[in-house]
């Protein structure tokens, strides 16, 4: 390496345009250069994003996150976690132009995202063929149906997807895994940006992200993330407006103590983007043609989906010494939804959603629900590091509690006439005549857990055990209450090789309470899941590249199916689903190139179920999925800062779980062009580049859902 004067010391940040770097000691180096530039000769130094030390919650340069906390609740290297986990960084979300969490997850192994298309009521993310549970900053963020606003990717530092059961750390939840969304938090280095964007469907958006120290000592840090959007959507008469602000404040009185206050307010104004259209007219054509994808089946003067949410909480951490640390995370959320919709009805009747004898008139039904959710969650942890002989331990003990109260008012009465799909005339309806209180639903969970991460030479062993007591009730009546007491176990074993090749084996469990009773007044038992997983994680020493390959066998028991109880047709819990599969995921940020490559095979079948379902692939789950994304940074006529990228997503064929209503395979393409130099970033993102028209999924009850059409968004960001 050629020696250069310190005054010419060059710091190269190939991805500094996306997330600011924190380089300590730069000021010292600059002063030294001013004093002795002529006397001191030092080797040239190049600093890249990969060289900046990462944390489990902080910013990441590029696509490759080295540390995560979702799988262990401790700051653990991804390569030393004996279970499949993917981290979607803010850099990646920004570059790919993700406008929702489910869109951001579209290039992730094992994930089926957006099966219901542009459904604005929630993010649809299935993991390994079944449902997932959504968390925000490690705390539960999803209760009931459509009661929480959808987090905006711009407000998130990263999204972590833990595949498989996770009951040992989080209590009851879906067997598929965890989608943990990590909020942006105050940073010690000042960074400020403001951006505007414009896209098809009259999309107009302005956003800002401001962070840095408040005082000279850096004991007080702040961050404000805000966004406002005024937009139409791909469906006529449906808006896609959003307003949110997320302020946060960090107090660091010493290196051992940190308290971060987090708050957010968000309001979404939208409407019915899904019409629950019948398979005839979506999968297949009618004599009059297919239902237009922009067709609005509801009524402009009645329809709305307005979600308003406020949340406040904190994250506290104190290290008594290098070996003992305590943490507590807490959040209270209040959300209100006004949901009014008119959608297709009568899937099982004559004409299967269509007016009998007509190929243009759809039958409709009216729905109105106004739920209010109050949610409180808290997680308290103690972390202890010690040794027993040659074995090093990281012992985590914790207790968490969550409580939710859901009230709602529902519409009564109202009528609505059929509507002509190809020549709609609106106004033929009578709104609900009144609203009534729905039964109040309450949920409580108290859990105690203990986890030990043991290290001996190159071996890692993880052991975990948890006990939960949970209660779900409707109107606080004995007949509407259910109490559960569950134990959840987990273990993982990994060998760390010198070559960066780490094989592992793991076992995990989950449970999820089911509300209600059968006709014999027997409370439904919780869904129970378990999974065995074996895999291989590879990271070449010194390279910003990771590869994860895994095979797994996952079983879910106590599924509800149709049966007979005491000689009467009823619901029984004898159903079982079993998913065997393999996954491959590769991530790289090397030089001027970022890469994502994934492949998923899912043999997700109903092991026990109704005769129509027995032995069939689970509904809407393809056997094969694959994706590939690549982007490259380059110069034009000696001017650096240009970037071009493209991706392809493949979802194999699926059906409704009974062998009917088969959905063909689909291949979709995305692209980005950007210029990023100095304080300005210009970008053009296109999703579904060729505007492929397709059906995302069909259900056994007879309704289908269109996939997301092409979106084009141009953006300008200024940093100062």
């Amino acid at each position: 390496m050629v020696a250069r004067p310190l005054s010419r010391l060059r710091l190269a940040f190939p991805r500094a345009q996306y997330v600011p770097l924190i380089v300590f000691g730069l000021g010292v180096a600059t002063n030294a250069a001013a004093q002795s530039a002529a006397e001191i000769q030092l080797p040239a130094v190049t600093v890249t994003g990969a060289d900046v030390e990462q944390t489990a919650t902080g910013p990441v340069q590029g696509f490759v996150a080295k540390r995560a906390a979702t799988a262990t609740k401790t700051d653990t290297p991804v390569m030393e976690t004996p279970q499949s986990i993917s981290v979607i960084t803010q850099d990646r979300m920004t570059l790919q132009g993700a406008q929702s969490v489910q869109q951001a997850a579209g290039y992730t192994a094992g994930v089926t995202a957006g099966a219901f298309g542009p459904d604005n009521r929630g993010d649809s993310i299935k993991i390994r063929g079944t449902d997932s549970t959504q968390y925000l900053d490690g705390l539960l963020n999803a209760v009931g149906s459509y009661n929480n606003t959808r987090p905006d990717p711009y407000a998130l530092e990263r999204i972590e997807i833990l595949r498989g059961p996770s009951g040992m750390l989080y209590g009851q939840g879906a067997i598929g895994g965890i989608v943990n969304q990590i909020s942006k938090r105050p940073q010690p280095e000042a960074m400020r940006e403001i951006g505007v964007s414009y896209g098809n469907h009259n999309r107009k958006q302005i956003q800002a992200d401001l962070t840095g120290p408040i005082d000279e000592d850096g004991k007080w840090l702040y961050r404000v993330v805000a966004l406002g959007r005024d937009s139409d959507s791909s469906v006529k008469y449906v808006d896609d407006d959003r307003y949110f602000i997320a302020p946060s404040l960090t107090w660091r009185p010493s290196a051992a103590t940190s308290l971060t206050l987090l708050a957010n307010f968000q309001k979404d104004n939208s409407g019915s983007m899904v019409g629950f259209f019948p398979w005839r007219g979506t999968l297949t054509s009618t004599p009059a043609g297919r239902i237009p994808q922009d067709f609005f089946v509801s009524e402009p003067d009645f329809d709305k989906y307005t979600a308003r949410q406020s949340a406040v909480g904190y994250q506290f951490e104190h290290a008594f010494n290098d070996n003992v640390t305590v943490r507590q995370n807490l959040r209270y959320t209040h959300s209100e939804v006004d949901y009014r919709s008119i959608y297709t009805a009568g899937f099982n009747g004559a004409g299967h959603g269509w007016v009998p004898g007509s190929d243009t008139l759809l039958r409709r039904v009216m729905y109105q629900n106004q739920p209010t959710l109050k949610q409180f969650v808290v997680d308290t942890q103690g972390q202890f590091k010690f040794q027993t002989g040659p074995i090093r331990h990281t012992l985590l003990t914790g207790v968490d509690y969550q409580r939710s109260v859901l009230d709602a008012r529902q519409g009564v009465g109202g009528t609505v006439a059929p509507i002509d799909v190809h020549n709609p005339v609106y106004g033929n309806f009578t709104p609900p005549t009144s609203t009534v209180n729905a039964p109040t639903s309450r949920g409580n969970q108290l859990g105690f857990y203990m986890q030990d991460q043991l290290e001996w030479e190159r071996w890692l062993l993880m052991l975990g055990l948890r006990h939960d007591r949970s209660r779900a009730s409707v109107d606080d009546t004995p007949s509407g209450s259910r109490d559960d007491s569950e134990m959840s176990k987990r273990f993982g074993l990994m060998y760390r090789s010198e070559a960066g090749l780490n094989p592992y084996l793991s076992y995990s469990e989950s449970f999820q309470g089911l509300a209600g009773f059968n006709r014999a007044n027997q409370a439904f038992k919780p869904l129970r899941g378990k999974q065995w997983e074996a895999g291989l994680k590879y990271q070449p020493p010194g390279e910003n590249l990771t590869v994860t390959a895994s095979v797994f066998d996952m079983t879910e028991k106590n599924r509800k199916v149709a049966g007979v109880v005491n000689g009467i047709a009823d619901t029984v819990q004898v159903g079982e689903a079993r998913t065997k599969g393999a996954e491959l995921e590769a991530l790289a940020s090397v030089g001027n190139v970022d890469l994502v490559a994934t492949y998923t095979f899912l043999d997700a079948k109903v092991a026990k179920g109704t005769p129509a379902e027995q032995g069939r692939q689970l509904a809407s789950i393809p056997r094969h999925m694959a994706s590939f994304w690549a982007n490259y940074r380059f110069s034009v006529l000696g001017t650096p800062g240009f970037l071009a990228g493209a991706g392809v997503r493949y979802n194999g064929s699926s059906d409704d779980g009974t062998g009917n209503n088969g959905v063909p395979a689909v291949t979709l393409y995305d692209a980005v062009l950007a210029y990023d130099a100095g304080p300005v970033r210009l970008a053009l993102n296109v999703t579904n580049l060729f505007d492929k028209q397709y059906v995302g999924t069909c259900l056994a009850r007879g309704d289908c859902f269109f996939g997301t059409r092409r979106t084009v968004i141009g953006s300008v960001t200024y940093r100062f």
Side-chain angles (χ1 to χ4, degrees):
M1 181 176 297
V2 179
R4 295 177 179 166
L6 187 58
S7 60
R8 298 179 59 191
L9 179 67
R10 183 176 63 180
L11 301 176
F13 301 104
R15 278 171 290 278
Q17 59 267 42
Y18 299 104
V19 177
L21 295 178
I22 303 170
V23 182
F24 296 99
L26 182 58
V28 175
T30 304
N31 291 335
Q35 297 173 5
S36 56
E39 302 175 5
I40 301 176
Q41 299 282 330
L42 293 177
V45 176
T46 300
V47 180
T48 67
D51 299 318
V52 180
E53 184 178 357
Q54 295 185 14
T55 68
T57 58
V60 175
Q61 299 292 309
F63 286 16
V64 183
K66 296 180 179 180
R67 310 188 72 85
T70 301
T72 61
K73 289 191 177 180
T74 63
D75 192 329
T76 302
V78 173
M79 292 292 100
E80 298 182 5
T81 302
Q83 191 168 339
S84 290
I85 182 172
S86 295
V87 180
I88 305 167
T89 66
Q90 175 58 222
D91 261 17
R92 176 171 155 185
M93 287 185 276
T94 299
L95 198 149
Q96 294 182 330
Q99 300 302 308
S100 66
V101 173
Q102 70 179 29
Q103 184 182 346
Y107 286 85
T108 307
V111 171
T112 309
F116 300 101
D119 188 352
N120 54 6
R121 300 170 301 169
D123 292 304
S124 173
I125 300 176
K126 291 183 178 290
I127 304 175
R128 293 180 170 175
T130 189
D131 293 333
S132 62
T133 305
Q134 295 192 26
Y135 281 70
L136 178 64
D137 297 319
L139 301 174
L140 184 66
N141 192 52
V143 175
S145 301
Y146 318 124
N147 298 313
N148 298 86
T149 58
R150 304 170 70 185
D152 195 284
Y154 188 70
L156 305 176
E157 193 67 71
R158 57 170 69 191
I159 301 169
E160 298 184 355
I161 296 179
L162 177 64
R163 290 182 279 274
S166 52
M168 194 285 294
L169 282 179
Y170 296 95
Q172 61 177 326
I175 185 178
I178 291 287
V179 180
N180 189 19
Q181 300 150 126
I182 309 299
S183 302
K184 290 179 176 177
R185 303 176 189 186
Q187 298 298 308
E189 293 292 316
M191 187 280 292
R192 298 175 295 275
E193 69 172 37
I194 186 170
V196 296
S197 62
Y198 184 82
N200 58 340
H201 311 304
N202 294 314
R203 176 192 177 93
K204 300 172 287 292
Q205 180 170 300
I206 184 170
Q207 59 195 35
D209 183 4
L210 315 171
T211 188
I214 298 177
D215 61 333
E216 294 182 357
D217 297 330
K219 293 184 177 181
W220 292 91
L221 314 174
Y222 82 97
R223 192 160 195 166
V224 178
V225 185
L227 179 148
R229 179 169 71 235
D230 182 5
S231 179
D232 298 334
S233 72
S234 58
V235 177
K236 294 180 178 178
Y237 305 108
V238 177
D239 295 331
D240 184 21
D241 301 340
R242 170 170 291 173
Y243 310 93
F244 87 75
I245 183 169
S248 54
L249 181 68
T250 294
W251 177 48
R252 303 189 303 182
S254 68
T257 305
S258 174
L259 174 65
T260 297
L261 306 178
L262 300 118
N264 68 77
F265 171 80
Q266 181 170 327
K267 182 180 180 181
D268 293 349
N269 291 320
S270 188
S272 299
M273 295 191 67
V274 294
F276 301 88
F277 297 136
W279 59 266
R280 190 166 65 91
T282 52
L283 276 180
T284 62
S285 185
T286 71
R290 282 185 166 86
I291 300 171
Q293 283 198 234
D294 64 351
F295 172 63
F296 179 63
V297 71
S298 188
E299 291 285 339
D301 295 332
F302 173 76
D303 189 90
K304 71 164 42 180
Y305 181 79
T306 299
R308 183 186 292 106
Q309 179 173 297
S310 302
V312 62
Y314 64 78
Q315 296 181 329
F316 171 78
E317 179 175 314
H318 175 70
F320 291 95
N321 50 50
D322 292 340
N323 299 319
V324 181
T325 303
V326 295
R327 290 186 288 268
Q328 186 176 74
N329 303 327
L330 178 148
R331 183 174 66 246
Y332 173 78
T333 303
H334 180 95
S335 66
E336 298 177 349
V337 173
D338 189 356
Y339 182 26
R340 309 178 191 185
S341 181
I342 298 172
Y343 51 88
T344 311
F347 302 116
N348 298 318
H352 204 70
W354 297 92
V355 173
S358 174
D359 294 314
T360 64
L361 293 176
L362 278 179
R363 292 178 290 182
R364 299 187 293 171
V365 66
M366 185 172 290
Y367 178 78
Q368 181 175 347
N369 193 8
Q370 297 168 316
T372 298
L373 173 67
K374 301 173 189 175
Q375 182 188 22
F376 174 80
V377 286
V378 59
D379 185 11
T380 305
Q381 307 163 13
Q383 180 177 300
F384 309 90
K385 295 185 177 182
F386 59 95
Q387 285 193 223
T388 55
I391 301 175
R392 299 184 300 278
H393 300 257
T394 300
L395 179 66
L396 180 72
T397 61
V399 54
D400 57 30
Y401 173 76
Q402 50 190 263
R403 174 179 173 82
S404 62
V405 179
L406 180 62
D407 297 298
R409 293 191 63 81
Q410 297 178 343
V412 177
T415 60
V416 58
I419 192 169
D420 193 309
V421 170
H422 302 286
N423 187 27
V425 177
Y426 298 102
N428 297 319
F429 76 102
T430 302
T433 55
S434 62
T435 59
V436 298
N437 289 325
T440 299
S441 299
R442 291 179 171 85
N444 294 274
Q445 176 183 284
L446 177 64
F448 302 87
Y449 57 90
M450 180 179 293
Q451 172 187 268
D452 196 4
Q453 296 169 268
L454 302 92
E455 300 181 52
W456 177 68
E457 296 182 349
R458 296 192 174 278
W459 290 95
L460 298 176
L461 176 64
M462 182 172 61
L463 302 172
L465 185 67
R466 179 187 178 102
H467 175 73
D468 281 290
R469 292 190 62 86
S470 62
R471 178 178 178 83
S473 64
V474 178
D475 279 346
D476 278 337
T477 60
S479 62
S481 301
R482 186 194 72 250
D483 294 283
D484 295 313
S485 179
E486 298 290 331
M487 295 289 293
S488 303
K489 302 180 294 293
R490 181 190 188 196
F491 105 93
L493 181 66
M494 173 179 279
Y495 179 79
R496 299 171 294 180
S497 72
E498 292 185 357
L501 200 64
N502 301 352
Y504 69 91
L505 175 70
S506 67
Y507 171 82
S508 56
E509 296 177 344
S510 70
F511 77 100
Q512 186 172 26
L514 295 177
F517 298 77
N518 62 17
R519 295 188 178 181
N521 203 35
Q522 299 168 328
F524 291 121
K525 297 179 290 185
L527 289 172
R528 289 191 174 90
K530 62 180 181 181
Q531 174 185 269
W532 284 94
E533 177 178 316
L536 189 65
K537 298 189 177 187
Y538 176 59
Q539 182 174 31
E543 297 291 337
N544 211 24
L545 162 70
T546 62
V547 180
T548 301
S550 63
V551 294
F552 59 90
D553 188 340
M554 188 170 68
T555 303
E556 184 177 48
K557 296 183 177 180
N558 297 337
R559 291 164 60 97
K560 293 181 180 180
V561 300
V564 177
V565 178
N566 297 334
I568 303 175
D570 201 354
T571 298
V572 296
Q573 286 189 278
V574 298
E576 181 178 314
R578 186 173 185 183
T579 302
K580 300 178 182 179
E583 296 165 346
L584 179 66
E585 181 172 274
L587 303 172
S589 289
V590 181
N592 293 322
V593 178
D594 298 306
L595 295 172
V596 181
T598 73
Y599 170 74
T600 304
F601 169 75
L602 292 176
D603 183 20
K605 293 183 176 180
V606 178
K608 296 179 182 178
T610 63
E613 300 173 324
Q614 187 85 26
R616 298 214 175 257
Q617 187 83 352
L618 293 180
S620 309
I621 300 300
R623 292 175 65 86
H624 301 277
M625 296 182 293
S627 64
F628 179 80
W629 175 278
N631 56 257
Y632 178 70
R633 296 172 179 81
F634 58 95
S635 300
V636 175
L637 301 177
T639 302
F642 292 90
L643 179 145
V648 57
R649 294 172 283 138
Y650 171 81
N651 282 333
S653 59
S654 63
D655 59 36
D656 64 6
T658 66
N660 301 313
N661 299 324
V663 174
V666 63
T667 301
L668 304 172
Y669 300 88
D670 311 309
V672 62
L673 289 174
Y675 171 76
D676 193 337
V680 178
R681 180 180 190 268
L682 308 175
L684 178 67
N685 288 91
V686 185
T687 304
N688 191 357
L689 179 65
F690 300 109
D691 199 21
K692 178 73 173 181
Q693 300 184 45
Y694 65 102
V695 174
T697 188
C698 288
L699 304 179
R701 67 191 184 190
D703 49 332
C704 299
F705 302 83
F706 288 119
T708 303
R709 297 288 296 274
R710 177 169 59 205
T711 59
V712 182
I713 299 176
S715 61
V716 180
T717 303
Y718 177 72
R719 295 175 294 266
F720 57 98

